[in-house]
Amino acid sequence: MGREVVVGKIKVIICQDKQEVSREAAAIFIQAINSNPEIVLGLATGGTPVGMYKELIEMNKKGKVNFSKVKSFNLDEYAGLDGSHPQSYRFFMNQNLFNHINIDKSNTYVPEGKFCDCEQSCRNYEEAIKKNSGIDLQLLGIGSNGHIAFNEPGSPEKSRTRKVDLTARTIDDNTRFFDNRNQVPTQAITMGIETILEAKQIILLATGANKATAVTGALKGPVGSRLPASFLQGHSACTFIVDKAAACEL
Ligand code: F6R
């Protein structure tokens, strides 16, 4: 069990390592799903949640959690990538979670990356979230530059799902998932900050020393677009689950 501290309105659980972060986060998700089997989840991709998804898969196989009525909305998708592209976030979600649990794939939503009408497709995404009465429990990672989803520094608080440019730093950070930097898409479709803040409960995961400055800025820095995760300070039910390395500047 991690050590708990409270910073402003945000509960921070500080764990020994990445494995403990994954277990703590999975336990919160399992409890939430068991108490509301029709829960609407907001999900993230990237390296950080993979361990938590492994835990959820294991617990689903053991019959400890049932996804049959769960719905999910992912935060973002690379612009230009079709869901069958191995680096697309739809592909990632299928590989790392959906293919291994008893979720109905037609209840899983990921923004459309390859489309003819981006603005319409972003509006449809927002509409689908509303039609499902909003997101109950939102999972977030954090970029080393403080982004949440792909809301890069400079993103306004009132932003909704839209197409955005990725910063050079995010492209650098995400090059590890591609063969080389030139293959990383330079744009993405992302839920907005306002979309994220409307979730009833938010869990942000961060591991590793390269996230320490962003985590400290998010919790203690001035609230503003310079560090988008700082807008979470205004949310009334937000928890950060971090390892010691990511908490080392707190
Ligand atoms: C992914 C997402 C991003 C990541 C962030 C951290 O859906 O929205 O904000 O959470 O870039 O990525 P990792 O976990 O790879 O360090």
Side-chain angles (χ1 to χ4, degrees), residues 44-49 75-76 89 141-143 147-150 176-177 211:
T45 59
T48 314
L75 287 167
D76 39 23
Y89 284 170
I142 184 169
H147 72 213
I148 45 173
F150 276 135
R176 72 191 195 280
F177 298 112
K211 299 292 174 70

Side-chain angles (χ1 to χ4, degrees), residues 1-6 10-16 20-21 24-25 28 203-206 219 238-244 247 250:
M1 186 64 185
R3 183 168 63 89
E4 283 187 23
V5 296
V6 177
I10 301 182
K11 181 160 95 175
V12 186
I13 304 176
I14 303 171
C15 300
Q16 284 304 318
E20 197 181 335
V21 168
E24 291 270 357
I28 292 173
I203 305 288
L204 181 144
L205 309 185
L219 290 167
C238 179
T239 301
F240 281 29
I241 309 179
V242 301
D243 67 359
K244 282 199 301 197
L250 281 182

